[in-house]
Amino acid sequence: MQEGQETYLWWQTGVVYQIYPRSFQDSNSDGVGDLRGIIQRLDYLKWLGIDAVWLSPIYPSPMADYGYDISDYRGIHPLFGTEADFDELLREVHSRGMKLILDLVPNHTSDQHPWFLESRSSRDNPKRNWYIWCDPLPDGSVPNNWLSVFGGPAWEWDESTQQYYYHAFLKEQPDLNWRNPEVQQAMLDVMRFWLDKGVDGFRVDVMWHMIKDEQFRDNPVNPDYQAHMATYEQLLPVYSTDQPEVHDIVRQMRNVLDGYNERMMIGEIYLPIQKLVTYYGIDGKGAHLPFNFQLLSLPWDARQIASAIDQYEGALPPNGWPNWVLGNHDQPRITSRVGMQQARVAAMLLLTLRGTPTIYYGDEICMRDVPIPFEEVQDPQGLNMPDKNLSRDPARTPMQWDDSPNAGFTDAKPWLRLAANYSRENVAVQRNNDLSMLSLYRRLIDLRRNEPALQVGTYTPVYSDMNLVAFKREAEGHDSFLIVLNLSHRPGYFRPQHFPFSGTVEMATYPESEGVSVSDALNLSGDEGLIIRLH
Ligand code: NOJ
């Protein structure tokens, strides 16, 4: 729904919270988080004000890529629990008035998935064409120059059938052939399976990868490549991703969702804005929320961020609902990128911008990237390119609940080491501190929920100073808000021209500013963010 319409759907008004299940809460003392652990922590999420929970994959998997290599799309990995545990989790989420979003990984399966085992068994197997098989070039080399995101070529030789198969990620993650209608139907059936159970939506993994060039043309060289970057970046993935036909697939997925009541899909898409917004689909019949990752890829610079926000707002199609993200399980944590003080400003930005915010677990207690000793690295991206510091483990460490051994996450050895500071930075400590990051998040979520201008109102940028991001949020018949954020550590002066205002500071990153009456100009401290209720 757009501004001016009377009803908005849950995924427009709500706040999404991403759980990385391995790291949230262990309930059976094996050092790995699980579904019953998540159930134990639902009251916390409700208290925080979360509306929808997205779970990274919980399906059976050999765990070559920690669950993003699925060997059964309809089951639950025993590490995470049973199907009955899942049903209970879904009931418990719903009974608290929250929604559950599952990760759907349609681009690739595990190489242990029965489909792939069949496909690779012989060239004339009926499932041969479910994956992307190609002959070698006449000299025996790989079919083209495409690279794997996780390092090395994207083609793996199959000795017994004498062809290469394509894998955008690990060789243990062969890509499905989405040009095959049987594959399409099989995956749409997977969606129906979970929707019939009552799941509220999907976060669709690497949506822009799903269809590749039919002619398998070579990707061009990236002229901006530098040695510290992942080897994948040597080429521009012009032919291996974001093909026009992908939109037909997304639309088919959308049709399935539209057969149910108020279900939705988020697309994981790392593309420039102009391309990203095409995933809303023609007439808005594509992804409900193509993930907008600008805040995790841009330098933390007020001018760049302010113009990116405006560019995004301007590029959205008529019915496209915006969304914002500060972190996920593939990226460095926001606190490690911008520091403790700016992480508070970032939280204020995330929760006051127009559009659905997604919070990555632990960001609400300012968890930082944890240094993982080389011999403990688990992530294949880190292991495959050891000299490039690309391991994603530091942002996947166990949730810090309290100061008991292992932070209340497990009473066994955790699968990944905990932050050294967990006895100081944890949910229990921060809950009792009005000035903590957790309290800031909770208050921001609460304010957003209670103020239509912040939840669904219009966005208008206000320019004043190089180091500030400022904007106004308005909804007819309700209070308006002016948000002014200092993205630098030095004082900032907000003196917009032709923008007289007066109001009261409703919330601030520093408590001293709250309740203060302001008009026309503001002097902000370094790292200060203000939400002003306008009179
Ligand atoms: C994107 C996921 O977010 C990431 O964790 C995973 O490694 C790749 N897709 C491959 O599935």
Side-chain angles (χ1 to χ4, degrees), residues 141 202 205:
S141 62
F202 299 101
D205 192 69

Side-chain angles (χ1 to χ4, degrees), residues 72-252:
D72 173 7
Y73 284 97
R74 297 169 188 236
I76 302 294
H77 196 301
L79 203 53
F80 296 127
T82 62
E83 285 163 36
D85 293 335
F86 176 80
D87 293 343
E88 188 179 332
L89 171 64
L90 185 60
R91 272 198 308 277
E92 292 290 331
V93 168
H94 284 165
S95 73
R96 287 167 176 79
M98 297 192 284
K99 305 285 185 184
L100 191 65
I101 299 169
L102 291 188
D103 219 304
L104 183 76
V105 188
N107 178 70
H108 46 269
T109 68
S110 160
D111 64 346
Q112 300 306 308
H113 194 293
W115 297 341
F116 188 69
L117 296 178
E118 274 196 54
S119 184
R120 83 181 313 174
S121 66
S122 78
R123 284 202 189 197
D124 53 14
N125 183 278
K127 289 212 167 48
R128 184 67 172 180
N129 197 28
W130 279 43
Y131 291 83
I132 299 170
W133 292 98
C134 278
D135 287 330
L137 295 181
D139 66 357
S141 62
V142 289
N144 65 21
N145 69 353
W146 295 359
L147 296 172
S148 157
V149 175
F150 290 151
W155 297 97
E156 181 70 11
W157 178 244
D158 183 57
E159 191 56 39
S160 68
T161 60
Q162 297 283 299
Q163 277 189 316
Y164 285 98
Y165 67 85
Y166 176 70
H167 57 93
F169 297 90
L170 297 175
K171 65 177 171 24
E172 292 85 0
Q173 295 169 293
D175 279 47
L176 283 161
N177 174 15
W178 270 89
R179 293 182 184 273
N180 182 340
E182 289 175 9
V183 168
Q184 298 171 8
Q185 285 319 312
M187 200 59 72
L188 298 178
D189 280 347
V190 168
M191 292 176 72
R192 291 185 189 100
F193 173 82
W194 293 104
L195 292 167
D196 287 342
K197 270 187 181 285
V199 160
D200 300 288
F202 299 101
R203 171 269 191 189
V204 181
D205 192 69
V206 295
M207 188 179 258
W208 84 114
H209 272 262
M210 287 171 61
I211 295 258
K212 350 288 171 190
D213 179 42
E214 207 161 14
Q215 298 170 48
F216 296 104
R217 281 169 281 190
D218 274 350
N219 279 327
V221 166
N222 176 5
D224 299 323
Y225 180 74
Q226 291 171 25
H228 66 87
M229 296 162 123
T231 49
Y232 177 71
E233 318 258 350
Q234 289 168 347
L235 304 178
L236 298 171
V238 171
Y239 293 111
S240 50
T241 64
D242 192 36
Q243 300 301 294
E245 302 95 316
V246 74
H247 297 290
D248 300 334
I249 305 300
V250 175
R251 191 179 184 113
Q252 286 190 52

Side-chain angles (χ1 to χ4, degrees), residues 65 68 108 150 169 203 205-206 268 329-330 392 396:
D65 186 23
Y68 284 94
H108 46 269
F150 290 151
F169 297 90
R203 171 269 191 189
D205 192 69
V206 295
E268 186 210 16
H329 64 292
D330 295 326
R392 298 167 293 180
R396 297 177 173 179

Side-chain angles (χ1 to χ4, degrees), residues 311-383:
Q311 192 200 357
Y312 178 64
E313 279 280 349
L316 287 169
N319 286 309
W321 186 255
N323 75 91
W324 296 95
V325 181
L326 287 177
N328 64 37
H329 64 292
D330 295 326
Q331 304 294 334
R333 283 191 180 272
I334 184 71
T335 308
S336 288
R337 284 205 298 124
V338 304
M340 290 284 189
Q341 296 308 317
Q342 279 297 314
R344 294 174 70 86
V345 177
M348 196 168 268
L349 178 65
L350 176 71
L351 290 156
T352 54
L353 279 170
R354 191 176 82 93
T356 308
T358 298
I359 298 171
Y360 182 50
Y361 88 94
D363 281 355
E364 77 276 23
I365 52 167
C366 52
M367 275 175 61
R368 289 193 298 168
D369 287 349
V370 175
I372 305 296
F374 193 70
E375 55 289 357
E376 292 175 23
V377 172
Q378 313 266 343
D379 176 27
Q381 179 168 278
L383 291 169

